[in-house]
Amino acid sequence: MRLQNFSKNSLGIPKFPEPELVRAQDLNMTYHRDVVPAEWLTTQTHNGKAFLELVQPLSGESMFHDYLERYPLGGAQHFAYRLSIDHFEEIVGELRADVELQRSNF
């Protein structure tokens, strides 16, 4: 109820859509480089300025479970921003190459 009041009064979102079941293995999502069986409920909405997603882990291992293990009361797991960037794919490629280089140095 607190979330509904906050989303309606503060964010201008009267109601989130019904949650959908997501299965990580159906989307080939990885956890520590391996596709693992994991399930969670998610609902997403947009208020014209911000995109919000709520996630409730149900089973398996995932970054969501890791976060809740570390912060059992929950909270904001991450924030994302959309920026206008020229040559986006080139920049992403460079970042991925840097990550792979760092992994190989461990």
Side-chain angles (χ1 to χ4, degrees):
M1 186 66 160
R2 286 182 14 206
L3 176 61
Q4 289 175 351
N5 288 336
F6 174 76
S7 66
K8 181 178 182 181
N9 298 333
S10 299
L11 303 175
I13 300 168
K15 185 178 177 185
F16 277 86
E18 287 298 314
E20 296 180 20
L21 178 67
V22 175
R23 298 179 74 230
Q25 59 274 30
D26 291 347
L27 302 172
N28 283 331
M29 295 178 83
T30 60
Y31 175 77
H32 296 289
R33 299 186 185 173
D34 295 319
V35 175
V36 295
E39 294 182 335
W40 56 89
L41 294 174
T42 183
T43 181
Q44 305 167 355
T45 192
H46 188 267
N47 71 355
K49 294 182 181 181
F51 174 83
L52 291 102
E53 176 182 37
L54 302 177
V55 177
Q56 178 185 355
L58 300 175
S59 66
E61 297 178 292
S62 70
M63 64 180 177
F64 309 119
H65 285 94
D66 291 350
Y67 180 84
L68 290 174
E69 186 174 295
R70 187 170 179 186
Y71 304 100
L73 297 178
Q77 192 253 350
H78 69 273
F79 293 93
Y81 299 90
R82 178 174 287 183
L83 305 172
S84 314
I85 300 176
D86 292 334
H87 313 291
F88 180 77
E89 293 299 326
E90 180 181 332
I91 293 168
V92 170
E94 291 172 7
L95 290 171
R96 286 183 176 154
D98 287 347
V99 167
E100 288 305 316
L101 180 62
Q102 291 175 17
R103 285 181 179 165
S104 68
N105 289 331
F106 284 107

